[in-house]
Amino acid sequence: MTGRFDLVLRGGHVVDPANGTDSVMDVGFRLGKVAQVTERIDDGLADDVIDASGKIVMPGHIDTHAHLSSPFNNSVNRAYGHVMLAESGTTTALDLAGEPGALAEGMRSQGAGLNVAGLMGLIPHSTVKDDDPSLPVMRDVVADALGRGAIGVKLLGGYHPFTLESTADVIAAANEQLAWVAFHVGSKDSGSDLNGLREVPEIVGGGRLHVAHINSYCRGLVMDNLKECAEAFEIIESKRSQFVTEAYLAQINGTNGKCDEDGNLVYNVAQNCMKARGYPTTDAGMRQALLDGYGGALVERGGRIVIVTGEDAVRAWEEQKTDASLSFPVNPATSAFTLTTEKYDDGEFRIDAVSTDGGSLPRNVAIERTMALVSFGALSLLEAAKKLSYTPSRMLGLLNKGHFSEGADGDVTVVDPSTGKAMMSLVNAQPIMIGGRVVGRGGKWLVTGAGE
Ligand SMILES: [Zn+2]
């Protein structure tokens, strides 16, 4: 294709698994789209040129598990995730899970130029009336969520578990309407661990399901963590054509320290954090764990969420009457490594994507940790781009993203190979982040036909 280009990214190492490109190239953009990838585009044809020499140029990172509008009603329930994700080099994010109105409002007030789709979290007595919604109720909830701009719903089994029957009904109701359904596993019979994952093949029926953050069920709570990974792989393989999956590479998780009137931790994930290091699952156990520096509390500082520890953490937790966002280093590195790199015999990855489970949680390390695996020799650059962008684009049906074919969206993440960190990103060929500083505003809300 000839003609002028609005922008040329000059001389970067272009990594595009869909087209098998893994070499130094120029990328020309026109009207926000990729117009040409070739060895040399003449200066005279370019209205604007950005020098990318010595840098890695890959299709923009698509984060299939992010938090932009938190389901928890506390101080972290703000849209800081837009800026935090954009700073790390992400260009498209799936919010898992918030509320469509809050997502839209957050994008307006704190948007950083990202493409964003959202799932509505299913919280009893909040986004869904009943403790264990029936199939007819769920049909209405899903239709309503789609109409308000969500692309589906999220089951929060580690926080608001339903019965197995009700969980199956949610999955069925979503699939009937071709809505996305993601599951943080756990039911009233199990927990947020391998036992929860073991229940999933039975209840999924014939539908499709996004099984969220597989690493969260391979923390060594049920048995040795690598044995848990091996069983998780078997479970996923048994429904390979129905499941999509992701795992994140941060050691720290995110949870909530809410305690009931008797001083017991309410949420299963928080209880598991205590059990992992032998603390009681009570307010006293949590206070000691925070004082010991085992975990921390998430607080807002200068428009970002950061983690504070020790007495600062206890203060933040108490100020919010225990209903506070907390974080603990419960993800074993060996699980993260195995889950990210293991393949089927046919060469496809067993876990589809590298996610952050970040956004407004300060662990947006998907790109830099994946690049560390490249440095280590565990992944090739093409494989890194596949897990960060191409496969996520197929998961979400964003056929114009995840690659640099002619006519594809001009979404790009530029990575500095010496640090592994993103140093620039573009959405529709417009910079949204330069040198770690966000220059994008607002965002593009990805909805279904019903939400349009
Ligand atoms: Zn999450």
Side-chain angles (χ1 to χ4, degrees):
M1 195 169 168
T2 53
R4 293 193 63 77
F5 299 95
D6 303 325
L7 172 69
V8 170
L9 264 183
R10 168 82 73 217
H13 180 161
V14 175
V15 182
D16 176 5
N19 290 297
T21 309
D22 187 12
S23 56
V24 174
M25 291 277 179
D26 289 351
V27 184
F29 301 91
R30 190 179 297 128
L31 299 174
K33 307 284 187 192
V34 175
Q36 196 175 23
V37 180
T38 184
E39 277 178 22
R40 178 74 195 180
I41 294 174
D42 196 83
D43 265 338
L45 292 174
D47 288 345
D48 196 5
V49 175
I50 295 175
D51 179 18
S53 53
K55 306 296 186 285
I56 294 161
V57 173
M58 56 170 77
H61 175 225
I62 300 173
D63 189 355
T64 51
H65 188 150
H67 291 284
L68 297 160
S69 56
S70 166
F72 298 111
N73 183 29
N74 59 31
S75 66
V76 186
N77 188 23
R78 304 258 173 75
Y80 303 112
H82 289 270
V83 163
M84 293 167 69
L85 272 179
E87 282 174 343
S88 76
T90 298
T91 57
T92 298
L94 178 61
D95 184 8
L96 224 95
E99 196 281 323
L103 180 62
E105 179 48 39
M107 194 158 23
R108 248 194 306 270
S109 60
Q110 284 165 284
L114 299 169
N115 306 297
V116 180
L119 304 179
M120 188 178 79
L122 297 176
I123 302 173
H125 315 293
S126 168
T127 57
V128 49
K129 268 186 245 139
D130 316 308
D131 274 315
D132 290 301
S134 65
L135 186 58
V137 165
M138 272 317 301
R139 284 180 175 136
D140 291 346
V141 169
V142 170
D144 177 64
L146 295 179
R148 290 190 298 125
I151 66 164
V153 293
K154 161 100 178 278
L155 284 152
L156 296 153
Y159 294 94
H160 304 288
F162 298 149
T163 61
L164 277 176
E165 191 188 2
S166 191
T167 305
D169 284 346
V170 169
I171 296 168
N175 271 281
E176 279 174 11
Q177 296 176 55
L178 302 180
W180 192 278
V181 51
F183 189 13
H184 176 154
V185 311
S187 71
K188 283 183 173 160
D189 296 342
S190 64
S192 175
D193 55 28
L194 189 69
N195 287 324
L197 187 63
R198 284 169 173 160
E199 295 173 336
V200 182
E202 293 255 324
I203 59 175
V204 71
R208 287 177 61 83
L209 183 67
H210 171 181
V211 189
H213 52 37
I214 302 299
N215 57 292
S216 298
Y217 325 126
C218 303
R219 290 173 176 166
L221 283 163
V222 174
M223 53 185 180
D224 170 79
N225 71 291
L226 288 179
K227 288 200 177 106
E228 292 179 335
C229 290
E231 188 175 334
F233 287 145
E234 278 176 33
I235 292 168
I236 292 161
E237 187 168 11
S238 75
K239 297 285 174 186
R240 187 178 173 185
S241 63
Q242 289 173 252
F243 288 169
V244 291
T245 55
E246 30 80 22
Y248 62 86
L249 286 166
Q251 263 69 65
I252 57 169
N253 79 337
T255 191
N256 180 294
K258 189 175 180 180
C259 295
D260 63 18
E261 289 152 10
D262 302 326
N264 293 312
L265 285 166
V266 171
Y267 297 119
N268 180 247
V269 175
Q271 293 165 3
N272 287 345
C273 293
M274 296 299 97
K275 286 179 196 162
R277 292 280 183 98
Y279 290 97
T281 58
T282 60
D283 54 2
M286 179 58 79
R287 180 173 288 104
Q288 195 59 48
L290 292 173
L291 283 175
D292 291 348
Y294 164 38
L298 275 53
V299 300
E300 188 267 329
R301 294 272 191 278
R304 309 285 184 284
I305 303 298
V306 299
I307 296 178
V308 296
T309 56
E311 285 176 7
D312 289 342
V314 172
R315 199 174 308 120
W317 176 61
E318 286 177 342
E319 275 172 5
Q320 294 166 80
K321 299 185 170 60
T322 74
D323 188 4
S325 290
L326 307 175
S327 181
F328 293 87
V330 288
N331 291 307
T334 47
S335 291
F337 181 90
T338 302
L339 294 170
T340 305
T341 56
E342 203 73 19
K343 293 173 187 168
Y344 290 111
D345 290 344
D346 64 13
E348 292 296 319
F349 285 105
R350 285 179 172 271
I351 305 296
D352 295 310
V354 176
S355 61
T356 63
D357 198 1
S360 56
L361 300 160
R363 48 178 167 166
N364 299 306
V365 296
I367 295 168
E368 62 181 285
R369 295 261 163 107
T370 303
M371 291 306 294
L373 292 175
V374 173
S375 299
F376 188 62
L379 294 175
S380 70
L381 266 177
L382 284 170
E383 288 172 336
K386 195 171 176 183
K387 295 208 81 150
L388 290 168
S389 186
Y390 179 69
T391 303
S393 77
R394 303 302 101 169
M395 287 165 70
L396 283 160
L398 298 171
L399 302 183
N400 278 329
K401 299 190 188 297
H403 58 90
F404 289 145
S405 306
E406 186 182 322
D409 294 341
D411 295 2
V412 184
T413 298
V414 182
V415 174
D416 182 343
S418 68
T419 62
K421 291 188 180 181
M423 48 163 303
M424 183 189 297
S425 52
L426 313 175
V427 170
N428 294 326
Q430 300 287 333
I432 67 163
M433 183 274 280
I434 302 171
R437 296 182 74 90
V438 172
V439 295
R441 296 290 306 267
K444 186 171 181 188
W445 194 5
L446 307 172
V447 300
T448 67
E452 222 164 307

